[in-house]
Each structure stands twice: as C-alpha cells, then as structure tokens.
Amino acid sequence: MSGGRESGQLNLIPGREPVPGSEISTPPWYGRPPRPDVDPAGIPDSMTCAIPDDTAARTDLVTRFGFEISSCLKCSLGETRTNFVFGTGNRNAAVMFVGEAPGRDEDLQGEPFVGRAGGLLNQIIEAIGFTREEVYIGNILKCRPPGNRDPQPDEVAACEPHLHRQIELIQPVVICALGRIAAQTLLKTTASLGKLRERTHLYQDRPLVVTYHPAALLRNPNWKRPTWEDMKLLKKIHDERVTR
Ligand code: URA
Ligand code: URA
C-alpha cells in the first residue's frame, strides 16, 4: 500500500523523494528562473503558471515554489521565525495533512510536526498504512507565531495563498485538516470541530476530512478513538480513488 501516485492513472509507485532543493532545474514550460534572493516585497501571492500533467515536473514545481516563498515577509511572523516551514513529504502525495502552524521544534528544524505532536501524527499515519515519507504534511501558517499563540486573521490571510498553491501543485487525492484552526481556515467556516468531523467536505473540489489535532490528543487521549474513525474515513476515500 502506498500513498504515492503516478500522474494521470493514479497508479501507485512507492518511492522516496529527492532531498528538497537538490534537484532544481528549469523545465521548458516554466517561464521564470529560480529566484533564491528574491525581493520579499515581490513575492507573488501565488504563482500562476500552468500545472504540468507530469509527476516529476510537478514535484519540481513544489520544490521551486517552496524555495521562492521561503523569504516571505508578508506578515510579521517572517521577522521572528528561525526557519520558514514549508512542508515535508512526498510532493506527489495522494494524502495531505494540514496542521495549524509551526511550534518551537518546527521553527528550529524547519520541518512540520517534528515535536511530540509530530511523533503522534507519525503513528496516526502509520496506523492507516502509510508512512510519513509517502504522505505530505504542511500547515496553514509557514512561520511560528510567538509563544504558539493562535494564528491571527491577517497572518492567515497573508499565508493561505501559499498553502492554496501548494495544494494545487501537489494535487492530493484527499486532504486531512488537523484541528479546529486548520479545518475552519480551509473550509471558511466558524463551525465547531465536532460539527465538522465525520463528514466529507470539499476543498478546491478535493475531498477533505477533519480530525483532532495531535497536540489535542496528547492532552485528551479519549479523542484517540474518534480520531481513528476519522482516519478510517480518510483511508476509505483514498482507497476508493487510488487503485494499485
Ligand atoms: N509516488 C509517486 O508517484 N511519485 C513519487 O515521487 C513518489 C511516490
Ligand atoms: N502543530 C502544528 O499544527 N503544526 C506543526 O507543524 C507542529 C505542531
């Protein structure tokens, strides 16, 4: 079983991603060269080039996009971050998890979900037969809010276009929103987590399911059982759409 996916035919190919940033090249369909020292003021809200129907090319675009926005200063969190936390995993993943924002460990390491909540997320991912490497993991915000406070509306407004583009490029078959903030942001709702769970929503025409945030599960282990129900729904949606 694999969370990977071959372009077009949804055919599974287990495999590892190259190290992010190690394989940047300029595909012919891409009009601009990489911009490592891009002027932050000139960072696009989202890139608008066509999305190629080719796995390797799309993977390359995700890497390039992360590179392009990594010096973002569209909100004040850009000034306090240690690292920009773009996302991790298979850039051609069928399953994408979206959390809230980097915490301390993530800010220090530049990778989402590497702290205690991340350890639990890895277990959740493995419980439905995937590995961390074959899914994709990102956040609503790419930079850590000081003291891990909730993301502010202006920060979400500045950062969400990045995630939107990231999802557009990765083209996951199913998305899992982790926790209330991710769910409410992606679904543009103020409904409670309880109301949003146990249903299949759509985000940009892609199925999206909602579950508890792993950090919440650490505080309240009683929510692990309902989380398992959510993960079974996620797996079912995946298996209906991705054939081996
Ligand atoms: N599956 C794919 O289709 N592509 C990858 O790069 C990895 C897994
Ligand atoms: N919590 C999140 O929402 N995201 C992370 O990356 C880490 C903790």
Side-chain angles (χ1 to χ4, degrees), residues 69-146:
I69 64 173
S70 62
S71 51
C72 180
L73 290 174
K74 278 183 181 291
C75 79
S76 65
L77 300 182
E79 281 146 33
T80 51
R81 70 172 170 239
T82 310
N83 283 297
F84 185 85
V85 183
F86 179 61
T88 191
N90 177 2
R91 286 157 289 167
N92 188 45
V95 181
M96 177 163 175
F97 291 86
V98 179
E100 179 177 324
R104 183 171 171 278
D105 295 313
E106 292 75 24
D107 176 62
L108 291 175
Q109 296 182 43
E111 182 172 332
F113 285 100
V114 289
R116 232 156 67 81
L120 183 53
L121 178 60
N122 292 347
Q123 287 178 28
I124 292 170
I125 290 168
E126 284 162 20
I128 48 170
F130 297 110
T131 65
R132 181 176 170 100
E133 290 74 29
E134 66 188 336
V135 303
Y136 195 88
I137 305 172
N139 280 310
I140 298 289
L141 293 190
K142 309 279 187 251
C143 301
R144 181 195 185 199

Side-chain angles (χ1 to χ4, degrees), residues 2-13:
S2 166
R5 177 193 46 174
E6 179 76 302
S7 170
Q9 44 191 331
L10 295 183
N11 191 17
L12 296 183
I13 306 177

